[in-house]
Amino acid sequence: MMTAPLSNRTFKALSALLSYPTEELCAAIPEIGAAIAAEGLASGEAGKQLQPLLADLATLDLYDLQERYVELFDKTRRHSLHLFEHIHGESRDRGQAMVDLAEHYRRGGLDVTANELPDFIPLFLEFLSARPLEEARGLLNEAAHIFSLLEERLAKRSGGYAAVFTAICSIASEPATVAGAAEIDEPDDLAAIDAAWEETAVAFGPGNATDGCSVDRLRIQMRAANRDARHNAA
């Protein structure tokens, strides 16, 4: 785990809220809510919208919380918490983008373990929590259209998780648009989902080193993917 600067605790708190519910997470909800409110990085309206989710995580049965999380995020790719799923879809570009992102994490002091995909949004937010605020906002802005898309999609479902993306979008310094995400053809059952996702799995290990990855390179990749998606949708 990384130590968050005092100015970026909100990123760490939002990362926790998007994580699979555990007893530890539920016990920490009062601290998480207090950190978001005290720091004031997210808008006041976003903070208000988070209250139902915070209340649920603090009071509901853990099994019910876990079941709701799986229903929302594991049974449909439209709500996937993997960033490049929405940018690249099943394109081979997704693999290189994740390698580059993992290398950027490493250079910033966050080592990604073998069983973690670097585009997992809670991990992305964890990384932002340890970066200078200006840099964190810059990276956040490049993916803001995806966060806005997830906010819109989750708002149509119960569970309160749309409010987390409302808070994320409120931190971005530039307005986000929902156009440009890769269209996802969703299988209806878990076996089909597993089979489809196996095709896009990326293994990290020896031989995956890159020639270096800068913030500018990551931004260029995201902009190019967004541009291509807009062109294909036209």
Side-chain angles (χ1 to χ4, degrees):
M1 298 289 285
M2 304 175 71
T3 301
L6 290 177
S7 62
N8 287 19
R9 293 283 174 84
T10 298
F11 287 122
K12 199 174 185 70
L14 295 174
S15 171
L17 291 178
L18 287 178
S19 301
Y20 184 73
T22 62
E23 290 183 1
E24 293 76 14
L25 172 62
C26 294
I29 288 302
E31 180 182 355
I32 290 171
I36 294 172
E39 189 169 273
L41 192 58
S43 70
E45 179 59 29
K48 291 179 183 178
Q49 292 185 35
L50 278 170
Q51 293 308 308
L53 176 62
L54 293 172
D56 283 355
L57 289 170
T59 61
L60 296 185
D61 178 77
L62 179 60
Y63 177 81
D64 291 338
L65 291 170
Q66 292 172 339
E67 184 176 44
R68 182 171 71 180
Y69 185 94
V70 168
E71 286 287 334
L72 280 175
F73 299 120
D74 293 349
K75 290 189 176 181
T76 171
R77 299 172 77 179
R78 287 173 59 81
H79 303 152
S80 173
L81 291 178
H82 289 90
L83 184 62
F84 293 143
E85 182 78 32
H86 303 283
I87 296 176
H88 296 294
E90 297 186 4
S91 166
R92 292 182 180 180
D93 293 338
R94 183 184 178 200
Q96 186 59 53
M98 285 200 288
V99 171
D100 289 342
L101 185 56
E103 176 64 11
H104 185 66
Y105 287 167
R106 187 191 66 78
R107 290 173 180 270
L110 176 63
D111 288 325
V112 179
T113 63
N115 63 345
E116 292 179 312
L117 291 179
D119 66 337
F120 187 48
I121 293 174
L123 184 61
F124 180 70
L125 294 171
E126 173 79 10
F127 176 72
L128 296 187
S129 76
R131 307 309 302 161
L133 183 57
E134 183 177 355
E135 177 188 333
R137 268 203 167 113
L139 283 172
L140 188 67
N141 287 337
E142 296 306 327
H145 63 291
I146 299 301
F147 298 135
S148 183
L149 180 72
L150 285 167
E151 176 191 15
E152 180 182 282
R153 288 175 174 174
L154 288 168
K156 299 174 183 178
R157 302 285 297 271
S158 61
Y161 282 97
V164 181
F165 291 97
T166 302
I168 292 172
C169 291
S170 78
I171 299 172
S173 59
E174 298 176 2
T177 59
V178 300
E183 288 299 322
I184 297 172
D185 184 16
E186 301 175 41
D188 294 327
D189 60 90
L190 287 177
I193 290 173
D194 288 342
W197 282 30
E198 275 184 7
E199 296 177 2
T200 57
V202 175
F204 293 96
N208 282 332
T210 73
D211 59 353
C213 183
S214 66
V215 173
D216 287 341
R217 181 176 174 184
L218 287 172
R219 290 174 178 169
I220 290 169
Q221 287 178 332
M222 287 184 176
R223 286 171 181 165
N226 189 30
R227 180 200 62 215
D228 292 343
R230 289 176 188 272
H231 176 76
N232 292 336

